[in-house]
Amino acid sequence: LFAIVWVFEPLVACWWARRRVERPGELSFASETNKTLRFPSLLSDGEGEVDLSVVVLALNEEARTAVLLNDIISRLQQREASLSGDSNHPFRFEVVVVDMASSDATSSTVSRFTANFGSDKVRLLHLGGFQGRGRGHATAKGVKVCRGKRILVTDASGVVPFQEIERLEHALGALTSATERDDPEAVAFGSRAWLILHPNRPPMSAAARNLFQL
């Protein structure tokens, strides 16, 4: 048994390392003029350039991605406009869509939003050869290229309405105000319990299926 482990352990380590390596296409994104630009790094590029980054995980969600992006951008543009007169606290946002190797036109859909709103607002991170690497991997990849002081992670299914972000922001505010640190850090997790509790809930079969995905 020891001999078998001794022989195969280096092979497994090499295979795992290859799965973790960043592919060239995952390091860059296309601008609205189709120019290839390098993603920033959350780990090394200093303080956040924008107030809020929204990471959207998408796998074969061509139609739903368009609906969700329209909702996100519309709501955040309203917030941006309402705070535009405040020179001390202007609001800026970005949306990073992580395409988990979709076989449909999800990437093309996102690219159209980039063309319409600019790559400063909408960016596509395409994970080539994603199969088997999991949603946790996609989440980490998306968060890593964000520029936001605050980061929201959601998915393109649209199961949880985007306006629920206000509850998360309230929870974050309560957490950060409860600490004496100058640069408080906090994490808030949303719940899909509204699928059961909300008066306009979807059919219970859909609610159970989506709750199981948590």
Side-chain angles (χ1 to χ4, degrees), residues 54-73 95 97-100 102 104-110 112-113 122 135 154-162 192 194-195 202-203 205-207 209-210 213:
V54 180
V55 178
V56 179
L57 308 180
L59 175 60
N60 296 326
E61 294 283 8
E62 175 185 350
R64 290 178 178 176
T65 297
V67 173
L68 181 63
L69 287 179
N70 275 319
D71 187 32
I72 291 174
I73 294 171
V95 182
V97 181
V98 183
D99 183 0
M100 300 183 289
S102 298
D104 65 359
T106 296
S107 286
S108 299
T109 299
V110 178
R112 289 197 296 271
F113 278 84
V122 182
R135 293 175 66 85
T154 185
D155 61 56
S157 66
V159 172
V160 179
F162 183 71
R192 294 182 178 181
W194 76 274
L195 287 168
S205 59
R209 182 168 62 251
N210 284 296
Q213 293 175 356

Side-chain angles (χ1 to χ4, degrees), residues 187-206:
V187 178
F189 291 90
S191 171
R192 294 182 178 181
W194 76 274
L195 287 168
I196 294 177
L197 303 176
H198 198 279
N200 296 322
R201 64 179 182 264
M204 288 304 297
S205 59

Side-chain angles (χ1 to χ4, degrees), residues 121-191:
K121 284 287 188 281
V122 182
R123 297 179 176 184
L124 170 66
L125 170 57
H126 183 79
L127 300 181
F130 174 79
Q131 288 79 2
R133 292 195 280 171
R135 293 175 66 85
H137 173 85
T139 300
K141 289 286 189 179
V143 168
K144 185 178 178 181
V145 301
C146 286
R147 299 173 292 160
K149 298 173 184 176
R150 288 185 172 182
I151 300 172
L152 170 71
V153 180
T154 185
D155 61 56
S157 66
V159 172
V160 179
F162 183 71
Q163 62 262 31
E164 293 296 308
I165 185 179
E166 296 177 2
R167 293 190 180 187
L168 290 176
E169 289 177 324
H170 178 76
L172 281 177
L175 289 171
T176 55
S177 62
T179 180
E180 297 179 356
R181 291 181 54 183
D182 294 332
D183 57 341
E185 298 176 352
V187 178
F189 291 90
S191 171

